[in-house]
Amino acid sequence: MLLRSRLLSLNPTSFLSPPVHAKSLSFLFSSNKTIAYSTHKCPDPKPKVSTSKAAKQPMSERARFANKVLFVSPGVDPEEVTEEMILPGSNIVLGPYAGHSQIKEVEFVKSSGRAKDCPKDDRPEFAILGRSNVGKSSLINALVRKKEVALTSKKPGKTQLINHFLVNKSWYIVDLPGYGFARASDAARTDWSSFTKGYFLNRETLVAVLLLVDASVPPQRIDLDCANWLGRNNIPMTFVFTKCDKMKASKGKRPDENIRDFQELIRENYKQHPPWIMTSSVTGIGRDELLLHMSQLRNYWDQ
């Protein structure tokens, strides 16, 4: 009951304390519209459980709740999930694939105007995507703890290319162009350029998309449309809620209320909730937890 209460009642005062390719990543999330997600590489049949076996071993209420609300990491039995295994400010269960997450060095590699021009060294990568004013560059700078690794600007939409940053000489952070700044028309809500779409659909080294959502404003249709587009195209993703330090809303609802509203809308289309985490590039909230989450996805992908 304590586990259920913690996840169903989002409380930043307690939380805010200081969908992977090489293996089948259908465990990341399951949409009502797309029951099982394929991967760019050949799926591993091991994580799958036959319907006959599942019938013989019915899940407990606790396990059903964990599968529906939590992101149960690979290697974790839903029956054995405890509150201590959940990363603070998230629905992410830490599993055995979590490993070294410290960033020691980062270097800019290249900007690409086409997906086929991106690096071809087979290193795993995480793509960071969001609205043009969601704080993508600020989050990247906070993750690597270096100013201006990704340029920030008071003019949203400055990123126009696919930018690769090599981390620890072993994996990439990819900064993608933002979408739908300000008064975007309905037709333009998911109007990413063709090269960005090509990146999502053809990039075999993509572990997951970190879809950034501004928690300081109410849920935006364009973010929901983006999430649905990724889901329909079998792209694993994690929701990263930004600007969670703004606890006092000058207008409208608080960030925790906006996050709860967004999650309710997401649940309309997903049988299992995708992984999500609360962050702030100002205070550093969620930084270490997000890197741990990325490490377990990366290590599972890379095994």
Side-chain angles (χ1 to χ4, degrees):
M1 186 60 67
L2 181 61
L3 181 64
R4 178 188 296 272
S5 300
R6 177 175 178 179
L7 269 296
L8 292 183
S9 58
L10 183 63
N11 182 4
T13 58
S14 62
F15 277 176
L16 300 186
S17 55
V20 188
H21 291 161
K23 302 296 178 183
S24 176
L25 291 187
S26 59
F27 59 77
L28 279 180
F29 53 93
S30 178
S31 168
N32 287 335
K33 299 178 181 178
T34 307
I35 301 303
Y37 284 147
S38 63
T39 63
H40 290 303
K41 295 186 179 180
C42 295
D44 183 352
K46 292 181 181 179
K48 297 181 180 179
V49 179
S50 66
T51 54
S52 60
K53 183 177 181 179
K56 295 179 181 179
Q57 299 178 350
M59 289 190 297
S60 67
E61 180 182 355
R62 180 186 185 87
R64 286 195 297 270
F65 173 76
N67 276 332
K68 182 177 181 180
V69 178
L70 300 176
F71 167 66
V72 181
S73 304
V76 175
D77 184 347
E79 299 281 0
E80 299 177 356
V81 173
T82 64
E83 183 176 357
E84 291 71 23
M85 298 169 65
I86 304 172
L87 291 175
S90 79
N91 73 332
I92 299 167
V93 176
L94 198 63
Y97 288 98
H100 182 270
S101 60
Q102 182 181 357
I103 292 181
K104 295 183 177 180
E105 58 179 315
V106 60
E107 60 178 303
F108 171 74
V109 175
K110 67 178 300 188
S111 294
S112 306
R114 297 174 298 179
K116 66 179 182 179
D117 296 329
C118 291
K120 298 178 176 63
D121 52 14
D122 294 329
R123 290 186 174 100
E125 57 193 48
F126 293 86
I128 297 184
L129 177 68
R131 287 189 297 117
S132 297
N133 57 344
V134 76
K136 291 190 297 91
S137 296
S138 296
L139 179 68
I140 293 174
N141 292 336
L143 287 177
V144 302
R145 286 183 171 165
K146 290 186 178 181
K147 295 181 179 179
E148 298 183 356
V149 167
L151 294 178
T152 57
S153 172
K154 293 183 179 179
K155 296 182 179 180
K158 294 293 288 185
T159 301
Q160 301 296 330
L161 300 171
I162 302 173
N163 300 306
H164 275 75
F165 300 89
L166 182 60
V167 180
N168 296 344
K169 298 187 183 300
S170 61
W171 57 280
Y172 288 109
I173 288 176
V174 185
D175 187 13
L176 296 175
Y179 57 80
F181 175 64
R183 298 180 179 85
S185 65
D186 290 341
R189 283 181 173 176
T190 53
D191 185 24
W192 302 306
S193 61
S194 58
F195 74 84
T196 305
K197 288 185 178 180
Y199 169 85
F200 286 130
L201 298 175
N202 301 301
R203 192 67 174 166
E204 294 187 356
T205 52
L206 178 63
V207 176
V209 173
L210 304 183
L211 180 56
L212 274 55
V213 178
D214 187 347
S216 69
V217 299
Q220 303 294 299
R221 184 74 256 169
I222 191 171
D223 293 327
L224 295 168
D225 289 345
C226 177
N228 289 334
W229 186 91
L230 292 170
R232 286 195 302 271
N233 287 280
N234 307 332
I235 312 298
M237 66 178 168
T238 293
F239 292 115
V240 178
F241 293 103
T242 63
K243 306 180 184 181
C244 291
D245 57 289
K246 299 182 179 181
M247 298 307 299
K248 293 183 179 180
S250 58
K251 297 180 181 179
K253 296 182 178 180
R254 301 189 313 269
D256 60 306
E257 296 173 315
N258 291 327
I259 292 173
R260 187 180 296 112
D261 291 344
F262 187 90
Q263 291 172 336
E264 289 177 357
L265 293 171
I266 285 296
R267 278 193 285 268
E268 294 177 3
N269 289 327
Y270 291 87
K271 289 184 176 180
Q272 293 178 320
H273 203 298
W276 59 266
I277 189 167
M278 302 169 73
T279 68
S280 167
S281 59
V282 175
T283 65
I285 288 169
R287 174 193 179 271
D288 294 344
E289 290 78 10
L290 178 56
L291 287 174
L292 271 174
H293 172 57
M294 294 166 70
S295 79
Q296 63 183 1
L297 295 185
R298 189 173 67 252
N299 290 334
Y300 183 72
W301 185 96
D302 204 28
Q303 67 175 341

